[in-house]
């Protein structure tokens, strides 16, 4: 039987540790950790993600500050808000909920975030440290995936790992983290030729293409580990409830693999948990608290 890599279960276990950590250390720090989330516009999925982050923060004892801006706001005003939050002593972490409307220069906004508060790990300085394999804030989805693999002692060193996708949010940082952990990594994208052949060589196959059910069993080697990052809401008719699926046709693939992540309940919950880890990492650094979080930041 294939092993389910249960991100929901692991995220709850990590949250319990984080909760204890805050409880023990908040007297010394004289305040709880704080996370600021900037949302621009009315993208409904972003609304759900921000709510989930807010709930996760309150479960572990992080104070959240939500800034929901109208899409009529100017780039300069968002930059000023980021600068203000950079200086705010009650805020340890800050993120810009993506996607934001096209009129904004997303990369410029991210580069305004103080790297020490950049809990999404997307600022150039944190990406640079990842390239150099130096300790820093790590982007949440890739770090969550590495923790999920480690939690079941799935070896990364020496394995052939294929990552489908090369985005700044997932594919690139994930490939670098796995490379730093001595995996042999192939990063693929929409212009890759013979994708199926490349995927069939993978001991660990990670699908982050954002294409529903792209990967069926014909892409997968017997006994491989498959990680599904994609998340899609499919509706068959206007009346029916939307159904969640990933980039992997799981029913077809599961009988063939050693381990897999479900959708939902795999990578998604780990992404939120890593955001909490990064926020607490920044808080403990600020107050010189002893750390037991470093192992969670690959
Ligand atoms: P993205 O920015 O759209 O990037 C998609 C990547 O996949 C691109 O590099 C693209 O190649 C590549 N690609 C697209 N179609 C392909 C194909 N047919 N074959 C091979 N490569 C292909 O998306 P993203 O932000 O990385 O996110 C990917 C998926 O993960 C989305 O479904 C997103 O919703 C999900 N996601 C989930 C979580 C979570 O917590 N569960 C977090 C983040 C993202 P090019 O570069 O050539 O265009």
């Amino acid at each position: 039987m294939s092993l389910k890599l249960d991100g929901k279960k692991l995220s709850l276990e990590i949250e319990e540790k984080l909760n204890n950590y805050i409880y023990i250390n908040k007297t010394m720090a004289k305040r709880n950790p704080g996370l600021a989330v900037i949302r621009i516009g009315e993208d409904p999925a972003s609304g759900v993600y921000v709510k989930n982050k807010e709930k996760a923060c309150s479960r572990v004892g992080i104070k959240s500050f939500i800034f929901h801006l109208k899409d009529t706001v100017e780039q300069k005003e968002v930059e000023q808000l980021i600068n203000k939050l950079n200086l705010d002593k009650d805020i340890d972490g800050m993120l810009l909920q993506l996607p934001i409307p096209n009129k904004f220069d997303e990369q410029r906004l991210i580069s305004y975030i103080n790297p020490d508060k950049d809990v999404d790990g997307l600022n150039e300085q944190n990406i640079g440290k990842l390239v150099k394999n130096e300790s820093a804030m790590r982007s949440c989805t890739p770090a969550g995936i590495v923790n999920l693999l480690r939690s079941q002692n799935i070896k990364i060193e020496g394995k052939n790992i294929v990552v489908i996708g090369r985005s700044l949010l997932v594919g690139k940082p994930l490939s670098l983290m796995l490379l730093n952990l001595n995996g042999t990594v192939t990063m693929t994208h929409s212009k890759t030729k013979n994708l199926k052949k490349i995927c069939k060589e993978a001991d660990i196959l990670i699908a982050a293409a954002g294409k529903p059910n792209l990967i069926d069993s014909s892409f997968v080697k017997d006994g491989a580990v498959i990680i599904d990052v994609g998340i899609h809401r499919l509706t068959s008719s206007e009346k029916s409830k939307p159904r969640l699926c990933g980039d992997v046709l799981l029913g077809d693939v599961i009988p063939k693999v050693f381990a897999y992540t479900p959708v939902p309940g795999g990578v998604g919950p780990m992404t939120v948990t890593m955001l909490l880890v990064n926020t607490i990492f920044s808080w403990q650094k600020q107050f010189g608290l002893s750390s037991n979080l470093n192992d969670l930041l690959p």
Side-chain angles (χ1 to χ4, degrees):
M1 228 190 34
S2 311
L3 172 70
K4 178 164 96 169
L5 300 172
D6 191 335
K8 191 155 187 220
K9 184 161 169 272
L10 179 61
S11 69
L12 290 174
E13 286 166 17
I14 296 174
E15 278 186 17
E16 202 178 320
K17 288 187 194 147
L18 299 179
N19 192 323
N20 284 337
Y21 184 77
I22 294 176
Y23 183 76
I24 292 166
N25 288 290
K26 69 181 177 195
T27 317
M28 201 182 335
K30 296 198 177 66
R31 67 164 176 82
N32 288 40
L35 172 70
V37 178
I38 304 173
R39 177 183 169 204
I40 310 176
E42 298 305 325
D43 175 50
S46 290
V48 175
Y49 291 134
V50 170
K51 266 264 156 312
N52 286 344
K53 288 171 186 175
E54 209 178 347
K55 281 189 204 155
C57 281
S58 79
R59 284 198 296 272
V60 299
I62 294 175
K63 191 166 179 208
S64 45
F65 302 82
I66 311 295
F67 297 86
H68 186 181
L69 310 178
K70 293 204 161 46
D71 56 10
T72 48
V73 77
E74 295 296 325
Q75 168 95 14
K76 255 270 130 333
E77 292 172 78
V78 188
E79 289 171 7
Q80 280 163 357
L81 173 62
I82 293 174
N83 274 335
K84 195 171 134 232
L85 297 173
N86 279 339
L87 299 172
D88 190 324
K89 294 221 170 351
D90 288 331
I91 285 174
D92 303 286
M94 179 194 333
L95 70 92
L96 182 63
Q97 182 64 45
L98 302 176
I100 55 175
N102 284 337
K103 73 168 193 177
F104 295 99
D105 182 342
E106 179 181 302
Q107 283 312 309
R108 189 177 153 93
L109 290 175
I110 290 170
S111 73
Y112 264 75
I113 298 176
N114 174 348
D116 290 334
K117 295 192 178 188
D118 167 38
V119 281
D120 263 347
L122 297 175
N123 180 289
E124 293 92 335
Q125 189 167 314
N126 285 323
I127 300 269
K129 286 192 173 177
L130 172 61
V131 173
K132 292 168 81 182
N133 197 10
E134 289 175 4
S135 155
M137 215 80 91
R138 296 290 194 238
S139 27
C140 298
T141 302
I145 292 169
V146 171
N147 279 309
L148 208 42
L149 292 169
R150 281 175 168 169
S151 71
Q152 294 296 330
N153 297 318
I154 293 173
K155 229 176 120 190
I156 293 170
E157 182 164 318
K159 297 292 176 189
N160 283 332
I161 304 174
V162 174
V163 177
I164 309 175
R166 57 173 166 182
S167 72
L168 267 179
L169 194 63
V170 185
K172 275 184 191 154
L174 176 60
S175 299
L176 285 164
M177 280 178 216
L178 296 166
L179 184 66
N180 289 343
L181 293 165
N182 298 321
T184 303
V185 183
T186 306
M187 199 183 338
T188 65
H189 47 79
S190 67
K191 308 288 184 294
T192 297
K193 297 212 161 56
N194 298 324
L195 182 68
K196 191 180 281 193
K197 189 162 172 270
I198 295 168
C199 291
K200 277 209 103 159
E201 297 292 313
D203 302 312
I204 303 175
L205 177 60
I206 304 177
K211 297 279 178 272
N213 300 328
L214 173 72
I215 303 302
D216 63 21
S217 60
S218 67
F219 284 72
V220 181
K221 180 167 94 169
D222 279 329
V225 173
I226 182 127
I227 305 289
D228 193 352
V229 185
I231 182 122
H232 313 280
R233 231 167 271 271
L234 298 184
T235 30
S236 43
S237 74
E238 266 185 26
K239 280 193 189 137
S240 65
K241 261 180 89 181
R243 187 176 61 83
L244 287 183
C245 79
D247 286 2
V248 179
L249 195 56
L250 267 185
D252 187 40
V253 163
I254 287 175
K256 216 175 166 181
V257 294
F258 168 68
Y260 68 96
T261 54
V263 174
V267 173
M270 290 303 295
T271 299
V272 178
T273 297
M274 290 315 299
L275 181 67
L276 307 177
V277 169
N278 277 339
T279 305
I280 298 170
F281 181 67
S282 165
W283 177 71
Q284 54 131 72
K285 247 174 75 181
Q286 204 184 133
F287 291 101
L289 305 170
S290 66
S291 171
N292 56 6
L293 302 178
N294 286 348
D295 288 353
L296 293 171
L297 292 174

